[in-house]
């Protein structure tokens, strides 16, 4: 089976898939709309559990996978939920199934992980390539059209271009992306010297801790290697929450002041210590979306991975996990087709059927948990 894949989007799932296909001897070109890596903030900490780590391992060369693991932090594999007075409401142990002695719940820095995937990729990533549309050619191949006028022809087009996926809009114009009604202020607390920080000990006792406030407000903290990721969230009907357009216009100190007002004055001293340690230059606003139900499509030669098809609330930390699982599942399905002589179309259809089953369950679970914990719609 000799074919060429066109991957739209150079996020984690798109890059992992490119690695997986290259390992199978398949040409895979990656096209990214941003003009260069790091052109816009894309978040900080990601937590990878068994699904994400397995997907990454199936795609990457062993030495690159080990390099990725070497950058991760391994806080205690627990997710803790506290009330506004820091009393424990829930304390869940995350699966600790081991791989060569390594826990399967690890905290990565997103930018570092992406840099490793980019540095190790045999093919060039084409930047400044904004996807516009595609067409199916008479011979069954796919022609991808980009805003700069270039047309790239391949046998498989993969939309890995995130929540606002242009590939999805063309493939599934009826697919809904819903606003959850959640807004986050997200940033870093640097740990230049892990032994001399001013943060409470409980911050480091779980891989992620949620502090629930009144009226759906919440704070989340998760230690990485040289920083703690910290977010403050609230629903759009919170009296202090501006429109998202206005939120995006606020600078770092203004976002920090807004977070302070959202949490309110009735809070433990530990919360003040955390907010006072935020690096305001890292603060960014986020609007949280979730995908509506999607049925399997029947468009030969075009498929989707990651947030392009199953965006979900971050409350279960399964967005990146599921996206990387997609990359691993699609790589495995195509590998099986190569070994058995199955067609590319059948391999992709098998991936889509499996992916829609496990991802729809995860989107639904994330929605339920978000509604219970943080007032998600």
């Amino acid at each position: 089976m000799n074919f060429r894949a066109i991957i739209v989007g150079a996020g984690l799932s798109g890059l992992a898939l490119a690695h997986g296909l290259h390992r199978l001897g398949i040409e895979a070109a990656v096209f990214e709309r941003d003009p260069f890596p790091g052109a816009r903030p894309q978040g900080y900490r990601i937590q990878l559990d068994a699904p994400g780590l397995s997907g990454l391992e199936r795609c990457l060369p062993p030495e690159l996978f080990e390099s990725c693991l070497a950058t991760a932090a391994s806080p205690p594999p627990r997710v803790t939920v506290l009330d506004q007075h820091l009393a424990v409401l829930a304390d869940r142990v995350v699966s600790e199934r081991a791989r060569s002695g390594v826990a399967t719940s690890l905290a990565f820095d997103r930018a570092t992980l992406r840099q490793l995937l980019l540095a190790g990729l045999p093919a060039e990533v084409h930047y400044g390539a904004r996807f516009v549309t595609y067409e199916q050619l008479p011979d069954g191949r796919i022609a991808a059209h980009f805003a700069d006028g270039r047309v790239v022809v391949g046998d498989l087009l993969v939309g890995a271009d995130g929540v606002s996926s242009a590939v999805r809009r063309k493939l599934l114009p009826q697919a809904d992306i819903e606003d959850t009604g959640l807004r986050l202020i997200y940033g870093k607390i640097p740990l230049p010297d892990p032994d001399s920080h001013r943060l409470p000990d409980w911050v480091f006792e779980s891989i992620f801790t949620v502090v629930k406030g009144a009226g759906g407000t919440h704070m989340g903290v998760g230690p990485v290697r040289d920083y703690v990721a910290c977010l403050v969230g609230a629903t759009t009907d919170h009296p202090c929450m501006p429109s998202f357009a206005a939120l995006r216009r606020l600078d770092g100190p203004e976002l920090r002041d807004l977070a302070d007002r959202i949490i309110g004055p009735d809070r433990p001293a530990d919360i003040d210590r955390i907010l006072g340690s935020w690096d305001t230059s890292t603060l960014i606003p986020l609007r949280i979306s979730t995908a509506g139900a999607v049925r399997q499509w029947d468009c030969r030669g075009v498929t989707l991975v990651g947030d392009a098809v199953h965006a979900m609330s971050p409350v279960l930390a399964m967005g990146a996990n599921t996206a990387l699982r997609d990359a691993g599942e699609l790589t495995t399905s195509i590998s099986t087709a190569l070994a058995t002589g199955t067609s590319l179309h059948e391999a992709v259809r098998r991936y889509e059927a499996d992916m829609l089953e496990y991802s729809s369950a995860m989107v639904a679970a994330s929605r339920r948990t978000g509604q219970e914990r943080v007032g998600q719609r």
Side-chain angles (χ1 to χ4, degrees), residues 18-252:
H19 277 283
L21 296 181
H22 276 292
R23 292 185 69 197
L24 298 178
I26 294 168
E27 180 185 357
V30 181
F31 296 84
E32 167 58 49
R33 67 180 178 179
D34 287 346
F36 56 87
R40 57 190 168 89
Q42 296 186 25
Y44 303 115
R45 170 196 177 275
I46 62 168
Q47 178 181 319
L48 293 186
D49 302 316
L53 290 170
S54 173
L56 200 61
E57 185 173 24
R58 282 187 280 175
C59 291
L60 301 188
E63 63 278 7
L64 181 56
F65 181 67
E66 294 300 328
S67 295
C68 292
L69 291 182
T71 70
S74 53
R78 304 161 53 211
V79 175
T80 304
V81 181
L82 308 177
D83 69 14
Q84 59 188 325
H85 305 295
L86 306 183
V88 176
L89 296 174
D91 193 1
R92 179 175 64 87
V93 175
V94 183
S95 171
E96 288 188 81
R97 288 183 298 158
R99 177 209 159 271
S100 302
V102 178
T104 58
S105 291
L106 299 172
F108 291 82
D109 177 66
R110 181 185 291 271
T112 300
L113 185 56
R114 188 169 181 238
Q115 288 168 3
L116 284 168
L117 297 183
L118 283 167
L121 192 62
E124 179 183 359
V125 177
H126 304 273
Y127 290 98
R130 182 171 65 84
F131 173 86
V132 176
T133 191
Y134 67 81
E135 61 177 322
Q136 194 148 33
L137 302 178
D139 62 3
R141 293 185 299 163
I142 301 295
H145 295 255
F146 295 88
D148 60 6
R150 82 182 100 177
V151 179
V152 181
V153 176
D155 302 277
L156 177 65
L157 172 66
V158 182
D161 47 343
V163 175
S164 302
S165 172
V167 179
R168 183 194 65 246
R169 287 198 299 270
K170 168 69 174 177
L171 176 65
L172 301 171
Q174 75 283 4
D176 293 327
I177 296 294
E178 304 167 16
D179 185 345
T180 65
L182 293 178
R183 303 291 183 264
L184 304 181
I185 299 170
Y186 187 29
K188 293 181 179 182
I189 298 171
L191 298 174
D193 182 352
D195 296 323
S196 62
H197 61 78
R198 300 187 302 117
L199 299 179
D201 290 341
W202 57 261
V203 168
F204 302 93
E205 292 172 355
S206 299
I207 196 166
F208 198 74
T209 302
V210 178
V211 182
K212 294 184 65 173
T217 61
H218 62 284
M219 170 185 281
V221 289
V224 191
R225 184 158 272 210
D226 57 356
Y227 67 91
V228 171
C230 177
L231 62 86
V232 168
T235 54
T236 53
D237 58 2
H238 190 283
C240 293
M241 185 61 71
S243 69
F244 190 63
L247 194 61
R248 293 181 65 184
R249 291 194 292 269
L250 300 181
D251 63 19

Side-chain angles (χ1 to χ4, degrees), residues 180 182 288-291 310-320 322 358-377:
T180 65
L182 293 178
I288 305 303
S289 302
T290 191
H310 50 61
M312 64 187 75
S313 168
V315 292
L316 293 180
M318 290 305 294
T322 311
Y358 64 70
S359 67
S360 61
M362 194 54 62
V363 170
S366 296
R367 184 193 299 268
R368 287 193 303 272
T369 305
Q371 291 168 342
E372 295 166 0
R373 286 186 186 171
V374 293
Q376 174 180 337
R377 291 176 188 159

Side-chain angles (χ1 to χ4, degrees), residues 346-368:
E346 290 172 350
V348 173
R349 290 284 290 172
R350 181 168 56 247
Y351 153 74
E352 290 167 353
D354 292 343
M355 177 271 293
L356 289 173
E357 182 175 359
Y358 64 70
S359 67
S360 61
M362 194 54 62
V363 170
S366 296
R367 184 193 299 268
R368 287 193 303 272

